[in-house]
Structure formats: structure tokens, C-alpha cells
Amino acid sequence: MRKHADYQRVYRDGRRRSVGLLTYFTAPRIDNLDSVDQQANAGPRIGFTTPRALGKAVDRNRIRRRTREAVRLHLADLTANVDLVLHPRRTVLTAEFAAIEREILRVFKQVQAAPVLVPARTAKAEA
């Protein structure tokens, strides 16, 4: 995810959950999937947030790199058509990479298992 509006929609319409090393927000992906090109791009979109409270830029960038790599390695495990925003905690900075991978897999399994709920605002707009 790249647009600020997408992040805001996930925060507003999505669900918040926490696991050991991070908090995540998830919402059903809302796109106009009429064209063949957009259907080919259907699937999960993942965004990352690392606020200044997590440390200086060097620390935040390291947290982001480690989280991004764990997601890249296990992205095939997430097939749900959702928008997912990962908000790591400062402990990601000192955690072993295997622990970060386990947490990402745990998040992906929870997202896969959760029913995709369409927000009330979107359901009214489609009717």
C-alpha cells in the first residue's frame, strides 16, 4: 500500500489486533475488480508503519527492513484479498529474525482464518 487514504481506510474500517512483536490492522480490500488487469492484481496489499516513537531514523529503518524481509519470505502464505497494515513494536529491533518470521506467520494465519467483513459504509454504497 502506498496511498495515505488506503492506510486511513484500514484504520477507520478495519480491525486491530496485537501479537507479541507487532500490532496489525486488517480490512477487506476494496477495489473495482471489473477489468482483467485489476483481477490479476487482486490479493493482499501490505503496508508498514514505523512511528518516531520507535527511535531514531536508523532504528526505524532497521525495524522496517527486518519486518519487510519476513513478510517477503512468507507472502505466499497470505492469499486473502485484504489490506494489512503492520505496526511493529520496538522489540523487533532486538528480536531474533526467526521470532519475527514466526510472528508474521502467526499474523498471516489469523488474517486467513478471520472472515472478511465488508464495512457498513461500503455495503450501503454498493446497494
Side-chain angles (χ1 to χ4, degrees), residues 9-127:
R9 186 189 60 77
V10 172
Y11 293 142
R12 184 187 64 232
D13 297 337
R15 292 183 171 219
R16 176 183 181 198
R17 295 223 163 167
S18 293
V19 292
L21 295 175
L22 50 95
T23 300
Y24 66 94
F25 300 83
T26 183
R29 185 170 175 183
I30 299 173
D31 286 330
N32 183 5
L33 296 177
D34 293 335
S35 73
V36 175
D37 293 336
Q38 289 178 340
Q39 288 177 359
N41 292 329
R45 290 191 307 178
I46 300 176
F48 301 90
T49 58
T50 49
R52 289 185 182 149
L54 293 181
K56 296 196 178 225
V58 172
D59 296 332
R60 293 193 312 268
N61 288 336
R62 184 160 189 242
I63 289 169
R64 208 173 302 130
R65 280 194 311 269
R66 296 181 88 204
T67 308
R68 227 182 247 143
E69 180 63 13
V71 167
R72 186 189 68 80
L73 291 173
H74 299 287
L75 189 57
D77 295 331
L78 181 63
T79 58
N81 195 21
V82 297
D83 287 339
L84 176 68
V85 177
L86 298 173
H87 186 90
R89 295 192 175 123
R90 188 165 177 77
T91 53
V92 169
L93 194 58
T94 57
E96 291 185 18
F97 188 71
I100 298 170
E101 285 185 291
R102 280 193 303 272
E103 292 296 321
I104 294 296
L105 279 171
R106 188 170 154 198
V107 167
F108 286 179
K109 286 179 184 175
Q110 288 178 3
V111 170
Q112 284 289 118
V116 177
L117 302 173
V118 177
R121 291 184 194 113
T122 306
K124 290 178 186 174
E126 292 175 1

